[in-house]
Amino acid sequence: MSVSTDPTPLTPAADTSAGPGAEFWFDPMCPWAWMSSRWMTEVEKVRGVNVTWSVMSLAVLNEGRDLDADYRDFLDRAWGPVRVVVAAREAHGDEVVKPLYDAMGERIHHRGERDVDAVIAGALADVGLPADLAEAATSEAHDDALRASHERAMELVGDEVGTPVVAVDDVAFFGPVVTPAPKGEAAGRLWDGCVLVAGTEGFYELKRTRTRGPIFDVEG
């Protein structure tokens, strides 16, 4: 399949027939986005929200910034997984994005796998996608589409945030940054609160110092 230069495949219209539509932007390498994605998966269940899963990129977000060597190395490795997600979507449709993200996240964040090439190969095999999609990890062929998806998120929330970004109707926000990921009705209440405060005219920030890192549930 030829590479599309049209960003449309990365901007699917959410099917709201089952409930309100939302869009969730993630980078597979970001642990906090992973935590929020587990919460968003619960929200789908308890609030009937129909989520479109889209990509953004920590590597793109931090281009041109003065960063320490360790984080720069992390960002260099972060290109691969997100590029592969974009390539998979363009070749096989929107429905492969969330399963592939789940498979990557399970390996990166739950199993602690650090070999990005192995993560990509294993995740593609986990969800039954062609192994040759891994070639996208080191190619710039899909970067225009990746950047277009990333920029859509930034246009909604500005460039002083990170990943994830969530949009529902005409409201968008960064986060939430939460650990562990709430489940059941607790996830629903957090969703209600996020939508409420983000939709308040003139509201910009509610924050406190983090005192612990991501607490990952073991899946499967």
Side-chain angles (χ1 to χ4, degrees):
M1 178 177 179
S2 62
V3 176
S4 170
T5 58
D6 183 351
T8 301
L10 284 169
T11 60
D15 176 7
T16 59
S17 59
E23 190 165 4
F24 185 102
W25 281 265
F26 64 90
D27 184 311
M29 292 285 281
C30 178
W32 291 106
W34 179 252
M35 296 301 303
S36 297
S37 73
R38 301 309 89 186
W39 161 74
M40 196 76 227
T41 300
E42 289 290 306
V43 172
E44 285 185 294
K45 300 173 185 175
V46 299
R47 289 294 183 268
V49 177
N50 189 27
V51 181
T52 297
W53 300 87
S54 299
V55 294
M56 59 187 297
S57 170
L58 288 170
V60 172
L61 181 69
N62 286 283
E63 283 179 326
R65 297 183 181 181
D66 185 16
L67 304 167
D68 65 56
D70 287 344
Y71 193 58
R72 176 56 59 194
D73 176 68
F74 168 81
L75 293 176
D76 289 342
R77 292 185 294 115
W79 279 106
V82 74
R83 280 171 166 167
V84 171
V85 173
V86 174
R89 170 176 269 168
E90 291 197 338
H92 299 281
D94 300 335
E95 64 273 11
V96 304
V97 173
K98 179 60 161 43
L100 182 55
Y101 177 35
D102 288 346
M104 287 180 173
E106 167 68 20
R107 289 174 173 274
I108 295 168
H109 305 298
H110 291 176
R111 301 185 194 177
E113 296 181 15
R114 292 294 176 262
D115 183 334
V116 172
D117 291 340
V119 165
I120 291 169
L124 290 170
D126 290 342
V127 297
L129 287 170
D132 61 6
L133 283 170
E135 297 172 6
T138 56
S139 169
E140 297 181 1
H142 300 273
D143 283 5
D144 285 349
L146 168 58
R147 290 176 183 277
S149 182
H150 178 91
E151 288 305 316
R152 285 198 305 112
M154 295 297 96
E155 287 170 2
L156 293 172
V157 294
D159 59 4
E160 297 179 358
V161 302
T163 172
V165 169
V166 178
V168 54
D169 296 328
D170 59 351
V171 173
F173 52 89
F174 158 67
V177 177
V178 60
T179 185
K183 292 182 171 57
E185 184 56 24
R189 289 195 300 270
L190 178 57
W191 171 255
D192 297 341
C194 287
V195 174
L196 174 63
V197 297
T200 299
E201 179 67 28
F203 178 85
Y204 293 105
E205 188 170 352
L206 181 67
K207 188 173 183 179
R208 57 185 175 185
T209 300
R210 293 181 210 164
T211 58
R212 54 185 174 178
I215 300 172
F216 302 120
D217 294 328
V218 177
E219 298 183 352

